[in-house]
Amino acid sequence: MPKVRFKGLVKEIQGTFQDVVFKKSPSGKTIVSKKPDMSGVEWNEAQWAHRKRFSLASDYAKAALAEPKVRAAYQKRAKRLHKRPRDLAISDYFKGKDLLAKK
């Protein structure tokens, strides 16, 4: 069920309504797209490997942002680059940069 905030006509809408997905971009704009149908997808070995690596990258980002000093570094860099700290942490994992090891 989508969440709708009214201010004037509609201030904000997020969520899924039937086959339509409403989400917010990092810049704050609303994105409307058709819900993807992934029911018939069969992943090959390379895709499974990448999904596993992305899962590990996500775990790294979660751990890195739990550390106050590392989180501060990511927030500072994210503000300068106009990105989200989590996205930078995931990118660093794929590049082989580990800010947790430098503690």
Side-chain angles (χ1 to χ4, degrees), residues 37-43 47:
D37 179 16
M38 303 299 284
S39 60
V41 174
E42 292 183 24
W43 306 100
Q47 289 169 318

Side-chain angles (χ1 to χ4, degrees), residues 47-82:
Q47 289 169 318
W48 277 115
H50 183 70
R51 289 169 64 92
K52 179 64 178 167
R53 268 189 82 208
F54 194 88
S55 175
L56 294 172
S58 184
D59 291 344
Y60 165 77
K62 190 174 186 179
L65 296 177
E67 293 290 328
K69 288 182 181 180
V70 176
R71 181 181 191 88
Y74 275 122
Q75 285 177 329
K76 183 178 179 183
R77 202 166 114 215
K79 187 173 184 177
R80 182 172 38 90
L81 298 173
H82 304 289

